[in-house]
Amino acid sequence: MRWRGCGDTLEAHPTTTWTETRVSSKRIGWIGLGRMGEAMVKRLTKAGHAVEVWNRTAAKAAPLAEYGATVVNSKQDLSTCDTVFTMVSTTNDLKEVLFGDGGLVAGAQRPRVVIDSSSISQEGSAEIRAKLEALGVVYLCAPVSGNAKVAKVGKLLVVASGPKAIYDEAEPLLAAMSRKAMWVGEGELARVWKIAHNTMFGVIIQNLCEITVLAEKAGIPRNVFLESINDSVLGSMYTRYKTPVLTNLTFDQVTFTPKLLLKDMDLGLGAAKAHGVAMPAAAATRESIARMVGRGYEDIDFAVLLKETAADAGLDIQPLNVEVSDGLSN
């Protein structure tokens, strides 16, 4: 299907093309202000973009007014925006904010473009795309790599899929929130990328906790071992920014919860099954994360896996209370 711009909406039209849809920075909306959404909005406002925001818990939206954002009262207040970003927890959450009672596109007016940065399934995303396009709304998937701390300092990676022309037009907005934005193809390919990314994310933290416990039980100070890994060929932005919490056991400084990681591991294994790919390391990690969730870990950082791994090894780990870099300082 091709599209014709018409005021604040798009209508199907047989004689025009995707390139005639323009993503404008004049009216930008944002739905979902958790740890990630809040940090990303702040990057947009810092870059000079006017952003209108809505969050289910209004108290989370209010502080963004100090950064130049406009807090609106309902999702439909954003329906006349040109572009609306969404950043929510699950596929069902995204469906609700878009199509549910009082949803963004549930009324007569709709934004021209929806850009979603949530971590959701490929199948759910395809269903949402079909519904949005039937309503004349263009849809771009734009999941990210990095946590709220990474977002705060502008070091996210944004990986997008959908109409290439729309990505090209949205790229300045994506770039304002990240160190790099890239397009991987049409449709839901960015969802596949995010699922693969977060599956690897889980496997790495599992292995990092295991080897850290091994090193400490053998006698290497935990902070020294982690520093050595960070400076080795195995070091990465990920291992560096998890080093402070693994060193000082500050699991109350939440970046990502065990429950959310379990959701992503399940998405990864579901995709592997659909595509006929064996992933034994991911399967073992999934069970380890499920055990943490089963033990009642809720609003706590998933790096608490270190404590569980140490307990399994008969090691009573303690906070080291030393200052270590997270590698994110500019």
Side-chain angles (χ1 to χ4, degrees):
M1 183 174 285
R2 295 183 292 269
W3 306 87
R4 171 173 62 85
C6 182
D8 292 309
T9 62
L10 290 177
E11 297 175 357
H13 194 274
T15 60
T16 55
T17 66
W18 284 108
T19 57
E20 291 171 295
T21 301
R22 293 295 170 190
V23 177
S24 169
S25 61
K26 292 181 181 178
R27 293 281 309 281
I28 302 170
W30 193 287
I31 293 175
L33 296 169
R35 286 179 288 267
M36 288 295 295
E38 179 186 24
M40 293 167 76
V41 168
K42 287 179 180 178
R43 296 300 302 184
L44 280 174
T45 58
K46 184 177 181 179
H49 296 286
V51 187
E52 300 170 46
V53 300
W54 179 89
N55 192 67
R56 181 171 52 190
T57 305
K60 290 185 178 179
L64 284 170
E66 298 179 14
Y67 294 86
T70 300
V71 180
V72 301
N73 295 319
S74 72
K75 297 182 288 293
Q76 288 197 347
D77 287 340
L78 302 176
S79 64
T80 54
C81 289
D82 189 83
T83 302
V84 176
F85 287 86
T86 52
M87 174 61 104
V88 295
S89 296
T90 68
T91 303
N92 287 337
D93 290 332
L94 183 56
K95 290 179 179 178
E96 178 63 26
V97 300
L98 292 176
F99 310 113
D101 185 29
L104 178 68
V105 299
Q109 292 181 304
R110 299 167 192 127
R112 301 173 71 201
V113 180
V114 168
I115 302 178
D116 179 64
S117 294
S118 312
S119 295
I120 67 172
S121 69
Q122 180 180 2
E123 296 77 12
S125 185
E127 179 184 348
I128 289 166
R129 181 182 300 280
K131 288 184 177 181
L132 286 175
E133 290 183 353
L135 294 171
V137 180
V138 187
Y139 181 58
L140 198 68
C141 305
V144 302
S145 173
N147 62 21
K149 290 183 178 180
V150 177
K152 184 177 180 180
V153 297
K155 293 186 177 180
L156 291 176
L157 169 68
V158 181
V159 174
S161 66
K164 180 59 163 58
I166 301 305
Y167 167 78
D168 289 341
E169 295 159 358
E171 197 274 339
L173 298 179
L174 302 177
M177 298 183 289
S178 65
R179 60 183 171 85
K180 182 177 181 179
M182 58 187 298
W183 181 77
V184 293
E186 300 284 343
E188 317 317 315
L189 287 178
R191 302 300 187 189
V192 178
W193 174 86
K194 180 63 172 179
I195 289 168
H197 171 279
N198 278 20
T199 301
M200 183 176 178
F201 182 90
V203 172
I204 291 175
I205 194 63
Q206 175 73 40
N207 186 248
L208 184 60
C209 288
E210 291 172 355
I211 62 171
T212 299
V213 168
L214 170 62
E216 183 167 358
K217 194 168 185 182
I220 304 174
R222 190 162 69 248
N223 60 310
V224 173
F225 177 73
L226 289 166
E227 180 183 354
S228 72
I229 290 295
N230 291 337
D231 288 333
S232 76
V233 295
L234 301 176
S236 66
M237 184 186 298
Y238 182 36
T239 65
R240 290 184 182 92
Y241 75 60
K242 296 312 293 184
T243 289
V245 67
L246 294 175
T247 298
N248 296 317
L249 310 187
T250 50
F251 305 126
D252 59 331
Q253 298 177 13
V254 184
T255 61
F256 202 59
T257 66
K259 188 174 182 180
L260 288 175
L261 182 54
L262 179 61
K263 178 205 73 172
D264 287 349
M265 296 304 297
D266 284 340
L267 287 175
L269 290 169
K273 181 178 180 180
H275 291 281
V277 178
M279 296 203 303
T285 298
R286 188 268 173 201
E287 295 309 302
S288 177
I289 304 303
R291 184 173 65 166
M292 278 205 301
V293 172
R295 288 179 176 177
Y297 289 109
E298 292 289 340
D299 194 21
I300 192 169
D301 194 81
F302 67 95
V304 73
L305 179 62
L306 180 71
K307 181 179 177 181
E308 293 293 293
T309 305
D312 289 342
L315 180 65
D316 180 23
I317 59 172
Q318 298 296 326
L320 298 183
N321 300 319
V322 296
E323 187 174 344
V324 292
S325 173
D326 62 6
L328 297 177
S329 299
N330 287 318

